[in-house]
Amino acid sequence: MSTASTWLQPMRSALDEARAAVGTGDVPIGAVVVDVDGAVIGRGRNVREAEGDPTGHAEVVALREAARARGEWRLEGCTLVVTLEPCTMCAGAAVLSRVERVVFGAYDDKAGAVGSLWDVVRDRRLNHRPEVVAGVLAAESAALLEEFFRGHR
């Protein structure tokens, strides 16, 4: 089991990605995929607005980049670090990519699928269940989202 403090630096990198999403009008959510040695092998930010892609969530972008970097879809031993609790699509992508763990910042009570509304990643009916580390730099992650939505209301 890893602790929240282990994931501070990767979460800061994910927060940098989230801040960059604002420039394209996208919701500020960022993600990175870290390999077993601690190297970032995939980065992503929301690009739904920028690319007109309904699947353009930060997690999906980061997982795709990590898979390209490894030359395979299996991301065993890797960790997905994301600023907001993944939705059902992204939680499913984490399970299907076989990441070892999912680390997230803020909880998402409206659409979270890693414990809040659903718990896709720990569903015993699935063949892979990643470890979950929640609440890493949660206040910073939540503040980015609150500021973004305050400006869009």
Side-chain angles (χ1 to χ4, degrees):
M1 290 288 277
S2 57
T3 63
S5 63
T6 305
W7 304 106
L8 292 175
Q9 191 52 50
M11 185 60 77
R12 287 184 183 106
S13 295
L15 283 162
D16 288 342
E17 291 295 323
R19 288 182 197 97
V22 175
T24 59
D26 280 286
V27 175
I29 300 170
V32 296
V33 176
V34 180
D35 71 11
V36 70
D37 297 320
V40 174
I41 61 169
R43 295 179 182 278
R45 65 182 70 111
N46 274 7
V47 294
R48 291 190 322 167
E49 299 298 330
E51 298 181 8
D53 179 359
T55 67
H57 290 206
E59 300 94 324
V60 171
V61 174
L63 289 167
R64 285 178 179 156
E65 187 173 293
R68 279 192 299 273
R70 288 193 60 176
E72 65 173 328
W73 63 267
R74 289 176 191 85
L75 298 177
E76 293 158 341
C78 293
T79 299
L80 172 64
V81 180
V82 58
T83 58
L84 183 67
E85 179 183 2
C87 69
T88 53
M89 176 182 70
C90 295
V95 169
L96 292 172
S97 69
R98 309 290 196 270
V99 294
E100 184 172 328
R101 83 186 44 78
V102 175
V103 176
F104 68 87
Y107 282 91
D108 184 352
D109 295 332
K110 293 181 180 177
V114 184
S116 288
L117 194 55
W118 296 285
D119 202 351
V120 171
V121 299
R122 288 180 278 222
D123 189 319
R124 296 220 175 268
R125 296 170 292 184
L126 300 175
N127 66 339
H128 178 73
R129 289 178 297 281
E131 173 190 350
V132 175
V133 179
V136 178
L137 297 178
E140 288 182 46
S141 298
L144 261 178
L145 290 163
E146 288 166 9
E147 182 180 329
F148 177 82
F149 286 114
R150 190 173 23 252
H152 285 80
R153 288 191 177 122

